[in-house]
Amino acid sequence: NLRKHIADVSSNSKWDQYLVNNTNMFWMDRALGDIHFAQNGDWYSSHANTINIGGTYFRKNNTTNWHRHDEGLGLDIYQQRNWQRHVETSTGKIFMIQNLDERIYVTDTSRYTPTAINEIKDKPVISVYPNPSEAGTQKTLLLDNEEETQIALVDLTGKLIFSTTVKDNYYIFKTPDVKGMYILHIQQENTLQSIKLVVY
């Protein structure tokens, strides 16, 4: 884990290390993913690994030590901890998504709590292809029937990107021009599903 101030990137100065384990053996350290710098000075990151090693890595404001947190954190589809991305609302609330994990989490720095999603039995099979995909390219949403479907795409702050009504078993739409994570909400009668979209 290397760091350099953005003003010094083009200079010949050396890179500093983020030491997660505070070890002199850098090859034994833990590689961090993207770091979110919160408004209050706290830092959030993640390490992808097994259930006992991977998880959220958190650094309190004005401290140098990273601490691993996994209370309330689910596993990905391979029963591992995976890379995470954090976003923050204007009021300082932190949300997180973990790769290959369908949940959205909210954190209070010490634990994660999956956001409430109403579980409905026998949900129709819905998929999006391709996912992930490049910014500004076409995606196809495949629905398993032809009943009227309400579709809404939002970013991780809840901002609406678009919404529409579909009366067919598929819908072709253009991905946003901005890279990032998005949530596609699909409602059919009393069934509501949410699909995480990755745009790179």
Side-chain angles (χ1 to χ4, degrees):
N1 303 298
L2 300 177
R3 65 178 179 179
K4 183 185 280 195
H5 191 278
I6 192 168
D8 300 326
V9 169
S10 60
S11 71
N12 291 327
S13 61
K14 292 182 178 180
W15 290 76
D16 295 324
Q17 292 183 25
Y18 281 131
L19 294 176
V20 177
N21 284 341
N22 291 321
T23 174
N24 292 328
M25 299 176 288
F26 67 87
W27 60 91
M28 295 294 291
D29 206 5
R30 294 177 183 168
L32 293 175
D34 292 345
I35 299 174
H36 174 76
F37 301 95
Q39 300 173 40
N40 64 359
D42 297 343
W43 297 3
Y44 294 84
S45 189
S46 62
H47 175 64
N49 211 310
T50 63
I51 187 172
N52 296 320
I53 299 174
T56 301
Y57 279 78
F58 171 76
R59 181 172 161 174
K60 190 69 180 166
N61 185 23
N62 296 323
T63 65
T64 58
N65 296 326
W66 289 91
H67 300 281
R68 185 174 80 92
H69 294 294
D70 64 355
E71 184 182 354
L73 178 61
L75 302 174
D76 69 11
I77 59 175
Y78 300 110
Q79 302 303 302
Q80 302 280 315
R81 307 290 190 201
N82 212 317
W83 300 114
Q84 303 166 8
R85 293 197 184 252
H86 297 82
V87 295
E88 186 173 3
T89 67
S90 59
T91 58
K93 197 168 193 177
I94 305 288
F95 289 90
M96 181 275 285
I97 56 173
Q98 177 175 233
N99 287 355
L100 303 177
D101 180 357
E102 293 300 318
R103 290 160 285 216
I104 300 174
Y105 297 88
V106 61
T107 181
D108 63 0
T109 74
S110 62
R111 61 167 289 127
Y112 278 103
T113 305
T115 56
I117 299 175
N118 293 328
E119 292 296 332
I120 301 173
K121 295 182 179 179
D122 301 323
K123 288 183 178 179
V125 177
I126 296 175
S127 61
V128 179
Y129 180 83
N131 189 19
S133 65
E134 290 185 69
T137 59
Q138 285 190 338
K139 280 183 184 288
T140 301
L141 173 65
L142 301 175
L143 307 169
D144 73 338
N145 56 36
E146 296 183 8
E147 68 180 72
E148 185 173 280
T149 303
Q150 305 291 326
I151 299 170
L153 182 68
V154 298
D155 64 17
L156 293 183
T157 68
K159 178 183 177 183
L160 180 66
I161 307 302
F162 75 81
S163 64
T164 188
T165 300
V166 178
K167 297 182 179 179
D168 208 337
N169 61 354
Y170 72 94
Y171 176 65
I172 298 174
F173 64 98
K174 182 182 174 185
T175 59
D177 293 327
V178 178
K179 300 175 184 178
M181 300 284 185
Y182 296 86
I183 305 297
L184 189 67
H185 298 295
I186 303 107
Q187 183 169 0
Q188 296 175 324
E189 292 186 354
N190 295 324
T191 301
L192 176 63
Q193 294 191 55
S194 297
I195 299 176
K196 181 170 59 179
L197 303 182
V198 180
V199 178
Y200 63 91

